[in-house]
């Protein structure tokens, strides 16, 4: 008989069996995230048919225009994670303040940070977008409301991270610290099926993913680092790919290799991407796949946010690719 690929939940439950003290709470939390991803995927795929294209008519805490699908994705995740009873606190790129949740003893063990819809400027033109999340263990005392201490943790303390990419297919990639694994949504079954077990980022991809139009705002060192990567013999002939949805650019980098970078510039010295919702979870996934994530001088997983919406410069890729860029940056 032909063997069927594992479902996402079978995979998570199998991994949890190596922790005899596991209570099932983590599996339930991942189930909430997977369900929210399926609901968002369904809406993204038919956004042009309904009322979900376009702007919501307000700006978020970071002054960015909010799209209707940003709001839909945010509400879906908040609802799914709240209902599951596994979380004590939630922080979203789209919410100015965190959501603190009540929990009985033994419940609400986790705090979740998320970018509900990454790449929202691409929604209206049917280009790939995604959801990014990170999961922390709670730090506040069990039994009460979660608080900021549960959320303002270094990405080095993540117990799990992942993303759903709503592209030509919908893919769910996660790591709980035992490698990075990818699943593809079988829409007939409504299940994520294991399609990319134990992802290892290829060395020397030779693909550069950066917003080149920002070069006028980069400092001299960043310009030199980009040039060094383009010229490096070790990374081979260099090609450019930039979707403008970090989750899609990062997914390609994870599978095909190369370098994704969003450096600081004169508009924003820390770049555009958020440490908690975007850079941190992606750094966790890349390191679990044998890759590297740095802000140019410091490992992303060694950074700690001072505030929920802190930004960080980000360079993601295989060790060899990142080394070429970071060494030129340090000169
Ligand atoms: P978001 O839609 O969640 O605000 O994130 C958009 C981010 C990220 O996905 C992407 O890498 C970057 O913005 C693109 O920015 P530029 O248009 O400045 O290149
Ligand atoms: Mn984003
Ligand atoms: Mn977003």
């Amino acid at each position: 008989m032909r063997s069927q690929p594992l479902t996402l939940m079978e995979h998570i439950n199998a991994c949890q069996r190596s922790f005899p003290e596991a209570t099932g709470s983590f599996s339930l939390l991942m189930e909430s995230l997977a369900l929210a991803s399926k609901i968002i995927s369904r809406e993204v795929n038919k956004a042009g048919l309904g009322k979900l294209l376009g702007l919501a008519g307000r700006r978020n805490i970071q002054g960015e225009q909010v799209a209707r699908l940003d709001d839909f994705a945010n509400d879906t995740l908040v609802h799914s994670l709240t209902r599951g009873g596994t979380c004590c606190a939630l922080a979203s790129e789209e919410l100015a303040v965190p959501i603190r949740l009540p929990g009985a003893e033994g419940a609400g063990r986790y705090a979740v940070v998320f970018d509900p819809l990454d790449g929202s400027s691409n929604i209206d033109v049917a280009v790939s977008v995604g959801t990014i999340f990170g999961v922390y263990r709670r730090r506040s005392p069990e039994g009460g409301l979660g608080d900021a201490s549960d959320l303002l943790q270094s990405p080095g303390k993540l117990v799990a991270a992942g993303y759903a990419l709503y592209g030509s297919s919908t893919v769910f990639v996660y790591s709980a610290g035992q490698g990075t694994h990818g699943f593809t949504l079988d829409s007939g079954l409504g299940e994520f099926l294991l399609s990319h077990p134990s992802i290892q980022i290829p060395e020397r991809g030779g693909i550069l993913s950066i917003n080149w139009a920002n070069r006028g705002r980069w400092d001299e060192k960043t310009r030199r680092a980009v040039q060094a990567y383009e010229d490096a013999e070790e990374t081979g002939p260099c090609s450019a790919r930039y979707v403008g949805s970090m989750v899609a650019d990062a997914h390609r980098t994870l599978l095909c290799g190369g370098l994704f970078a969003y450096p600081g510039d004169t508009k924003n010295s820390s770049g555009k991407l958020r440490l908690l919702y975007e850079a941190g979870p992606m750094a966790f996934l890349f390191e679990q796949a044998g890759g590297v994530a740095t802000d140019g001088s410091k490992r992303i997983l060694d950074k700690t946010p001072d505030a929920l919406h802190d930004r960080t410069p980000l360079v993601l890729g295989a060790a060899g690719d990142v080394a070429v860029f970071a060494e030129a940056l340090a000169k």
Side-chain angles (χ1 to χ4, degrees):
M1 204 171 78
R2 200 164 74 89
S3 72
Q4 297 295 323
L6 284 182
T7 68
L8 174 62
M9 290 320 299
E10 283 173 338
H11 191 273
I12 289 167
N13 288 332
C15 291
Q16 287 300 293
R17 278 200 279 280
S18 55
F19 298 102
E21 69 285 7
T23 60
S25 184
F26 178 75
S27 300
L28 205 55
L29 167 63
M30 293 301 290
E31 200 162 8
S32 303
L33 287 162
L35 175 64
S37 302
K38 285 185 227 174
I39 296 171
I40 298 167
S41 174
R42 190 180 61 190
E43 288 312 307
V44 165
N45 280 316
K46 58 176 189 183
L49 298 172
K51 297 195 176 109
L52 280 175
L53 288 188
L55 299 174
R58 61 180 181 83
R59 289 178 185 269
N60 65 15
I61 180 74
Q62 293 135 101
E64 297 159 345
Q65 288 276 10
V66 176
R68 287 200 176 97
L69 262 174
D70 282 324
D71 274 345
F72 176 85
N74 184 66
D75 293 351
T76 302
L77 280 154
V78 169
H79 183 70
S80 184
L81 289 166
T82 304
R83 201 173 59 172
T86 56
C87 300
C88 64
L90 308 175
S92 162
E93 184 197 82
E94 297 303 338
L95 297 175
V97 291
I99 296 178
R100 301 173 65 195
L101 297 167
E105 202 71 40
R109 293 210 156 115
Y110 297 99
V112 180
V113 294
F114 52 89
D115 177 354
L117 206 76
D118 176 68
S120 40
S121 68
N122 279 323
I123 297 166
D124 289 4
V125 288
V127 172
S128 304
V129 292
T131 297
I132 309 172
F133 63 85
V135 179
Y136 292 103
R137 221 176 290 289
R138 93 177 285 166
R139 287 204 297 199
S140 58
E142 267 193 33
L145 285 174
D147 61 34
S149 72
D150 300 313
L151 297 160
L152 285 176
Q153 300 198 49
S154 164
K157 294 257 189 297
L158 283 165
V159 291
Y163 59 79
L165 171 63
Y166 316 117
S168 52
S169 54
T170 292
V171 179
F172 190 96
V173 174
Y174 93 100
S175 175
Q178 296 174 314
T180 295
H181 312 281
F183 300 77
T184 302
L185 183 62
D186 180 323
S187 51
L189 285 177
E191 292 276 8
F192 286 111
L193 301 179
L194 183 61
S195 50
H196 299 78
S198 303
I199 298 171
Q200 280 295 308
I201 183 168
E203 278 291 338
R204 300 176 180 182
I207 302 171
L208 177 60
S209 192
I210 194 165
N211 188 339
W212 179 241
N214 290 345
R215 67 191 178 284
R217 298 203 301 261
W218 295 337
D219 63 13
E220 195 43 45
K221 283 180 173 184
T222 304
R223 265 186 230 128
R224 262 194 277 122
V226 171
Q227 191 67 53
Y229 186 76
E230 287 176 340
D231 294 344
E233 278 174 22
E234 323 70 299
T235 50
C238 189
S239 216
R241 292 282 185 281
Y242 190 74
V243 176
S245 298
M246 184 245 202
V247 66
D249 284 314
H251 185 64
R252 185 199 54 250
T253 307
L254 201 58
L255 295 187
C256 305
L259 189 89
F260 170 85
Y262 206 114
D265 57 38
T266 53
K267 194 163 128 197
N268 193 330
S269 60
S270 295
K272 184 177 183 190
L273 300 173
R274 277 121 313 201
L275 177 58
L276 220 46
Y277 318 115
E278 292 163 320
M282 220 40 105
F284 186 83
L285 292 163
F286 267 65
E287 288 210 2
Q288 285 291 321
V292 172
T294 168
D295 69 0
S297 56
K298 194 169 183 179
R299 187 173 164 244
I300 296 289
L301 295 188
D302 288 337
K303 298 184 75 150
T304 302
D306 294 318
L308 286 179
H309 301 291
D310 277 2
R311 297 174 195 257
T312 177
L314 177 65
V315 185
L316 284 174
D321 294 73
V322 174
V324 170
F325 191 90
E327 277 163 23
L329 204 58
K331 273 187 197 150

